[in-house]
Amino acid sequence: MTGRGRFTAPALLAAAALLAYGGPRIASLGFYHDDWWFLNVMRFAPAGFAPRLAALLQDTPILHFRPLDAPLAAALYGAFGLEPLGWQAASLAANLACALAAWRILGSFGAGPRTAVLGALLALVYPNKDAAAFWPTTVIIPASYALFLAGYLAHLDWVTSGRRASLAAASLCLLCSLGVYEQSLLQVAAWAITPEPPGARRGRLAAGLAAAAATAVLFLAYKFLIVPRLWGVSFNKPVILSLSNFLVVSLRALESSFGWRLASSVGAAVAAAFREQPVTAVMAAALPWVVWTLCPEGEPAAAGRAGRLALLGGALFVLGYLPFTVSDYRPTPLTHMNRINMVPAGGLALAAAAAALGGRRRLWQAVGAGAGSLFLAAHVGFAGYWAESWRLQSRARDIVVHRLAQWPADP
């Protein structure tokens, strides 16, 4: 986009992100019960960033494996303390950053303004990953993925322009992404896919991929060599090398992205949204059609770009789930475990947007607007579920505090 349209798309995506957090209901969102352990550690640590950081690392040494997690948590606690609204706002910002990066990637592949915004909207609100939005300490997942996508954009700029600063930025963003959350480690292979065939830029593409691979190897060396030797912390995740585990995770990944449980949960969430927050739900359902109205269709993409974008999205989807084929994690569209769907869902949204780069663009744009309308309304319902969880936690805490004098005098 150029001119005023350059600000229209981010504004529309920001509005979508706020609605995805329930609009005004964001003020009713709180912590998830697993957050309380880390909050407890920081609450009773000496005041200040460094003491809280040291307390987290001492209490949970495995945080050394993701060296930016503890600093991020300590910084967020320093900024917001035990007030959940600030944490939720930080999570919203991280998820919005992922959507804005997806918008820019779609534009680089030749998507028109309407397709780029709708595709980014789908990445924001695909409904199989609500834990990555509403669980405050899981902000690490969208934060990591935003850094990964920023690295890919810098990589594209390096391949196109040859600016060494972009090559350095790509490596730095990737290193920071892995330092926060390592799910995108294998997705680096997808950086081989660019909007144009390499041609004369093949050397730059190879150099960019080599730098990314070196960055990934550096992180692996830190994780498996430096951490055990320097801090004596052993890798605590099981590694399962079996065909049956690979097939189970693969099938669960497909079921989590397209299955009947996902469809059922979306329908129930939409119904809850219109029943409990009808004004917000109507605004959410209408916003994708506002995108349709305000964003022009754009010119057709250059030949071959739709196929390359679909390949990029498909690669990000597969490579995002691949690490779990050797782990005991299982993809699911529901529960707090659906946080691991966020990274592959970003690729899925890019692949879906590729359909609108070829023929019958208006038809596919309408399909995208309809899906975005349904999914954004569902997020209003999801926000209601998490708000109710926080209400029950707060009620239980109030009962405990009220009866604290009757509590046994025991540490």
Side-chain angles (χ1 to χ4, degrees), residues 88-143:
Q88 293 288 344
S91 179
L92 185 156
N95 278 275
L96 176 59
C98 293
L100 291 171
W103 166 63
R104 288 193 57 197
I105 290 170
L106 286 165
S108 71
F109 275 81
R114 184 185 297 163
T115 296
V117 178
L118 289 174
L121 179 65
L122 289 179
L124 177 69
V125 298
Y126 201 77
N128 66 346
K129 54 183 178 60
D130 61 289
F134 302 113
W135 180 354
T137 53
T138 305
V139 67
I140 60 175
I141 296 179

Side-chain angles (χ1 to χ4, degrees), residues 7-332:
F7 301 99
T8 301
L12 289 168
L13 289 172
L18 181 58
L19 289 169
Y21 277 73
R25 194 170 239 175
I26 189 174
S28 301
L29 298 173
F31 296 112
Y32 182 59
H33 59 74
D34 279 10
D35 294 332
W36 286 108
W37 181 258
F38 292 108
L39 293 171
N40 169 70
V41 171
M42 292 184 286
R43 168 65 179 83
F44 292 103
F49 174 81
R52 291 184 188 116
L53 175 61
L56 285 169
L57 293 174
Q58 182 178 3
D59 178 82
T60 312
I62 59 172
L63 289 174
H64 284 99
F65 287 117
R66 296 172 183 163
L68 297 183
D69 278 14
L72 178 59
L76 289 172
Y77 187 89
F80 308 119
L82 296 176
E83 294 298 327
L85 180 58
W87 291 77
Q88 293 288 344
S91 179
L92 185 156
N95 278 275
L96 176 59
C98 293
L100 291 171
W103 166 63
R104 288 193 57 197
I105 290 170
L106 286 165
S108 71
F109 275 81
R114 184 185 297 163
T115 296
V117 178
L118 289 174
L121 179 65
L122 289 179
L124 177 69
V125 298
Y126 201 77
N128 66 346
K129 54 183 178 60
D130 61 289
F134 302 113
W135 180 354
T137 53
T138 305
V139 67
I140 60 175
I141 296 179
S144 170
Y145 203 51
L147 286 164
F148 174 84
L149 296 176
Y152 176 68
L153 285 166
H155 167 73
L156 290 183
D157 186 71
W158 152 252
V159 173
T160 302
S161 68
R163 282 191 285 264
R164 293 188 178 275
S166 295
L167 178 62
S171 298
L172 179 61
C173 286
L174 177 59
L175 186 62
C176 290
S177 171
L178 298 176
V180 177
Y181 194 70
E182 62 274 65
Q183 189 174 351
S184 295
L185 178 69
L186 300 179
Q187 288 186 313
V188 171
W191 286 17
I193 305 166
T194 60
E196 301 287 351
R201 300 167 179 165
R202 192 176 302 275
R204 288 184 202 159
L205 178 60
L209 290 173
T215 301
V217 169
L218 177 65
F219 173 76
L220 290 174
Y222 165 81
K223 186 168 184 174
F224 293 109
L225 297 178
I226 296 176
V227 171
R229 295 183 181 183
L230 192 59
W231 289 290
V233 183
S234 300
F235 185 68
N236 67 333
K237 300 291 185 182
V239 177
I240 305 172
L241 299 175
S242 74
L243 178 60
S244 62
N245 193 66
F246 178 89
L247 292 174
V248 167
V249 172
S250 299
L251 292 173
R252 290 286 294 271
L254 292 173
E255 190 264 343
S256 297
S257 302
F258 310 105
W260 71 266
R261 286 196 299 163
L262 177 62
S264 176
S265 71
V266 168
V270 170
F274 278 96
R275 183 175 61 250
E276 298 169 8
Q277 296 284 320
V279 174
T280 306
V282 168
M283 293 174 64
L287 189 131
W289 300 105
V290 174
V291 171
W292 175 283
T293 303
L294 295 182
C295 297
E297 184 176 358
E299 298 297 324
R305 286 196 174 187
R308 283 190 287 274
L309 178 61
L311 183 61
L312 172 67
L316 292 175
F317 177 81
V318 172
L319 295 170
Y321 279 121
L322 197 58
F324 301 110
T325 61
V326 294
S327 82
D328 60 351
Y329 277 28
R330 295 289 181 268
T332 174

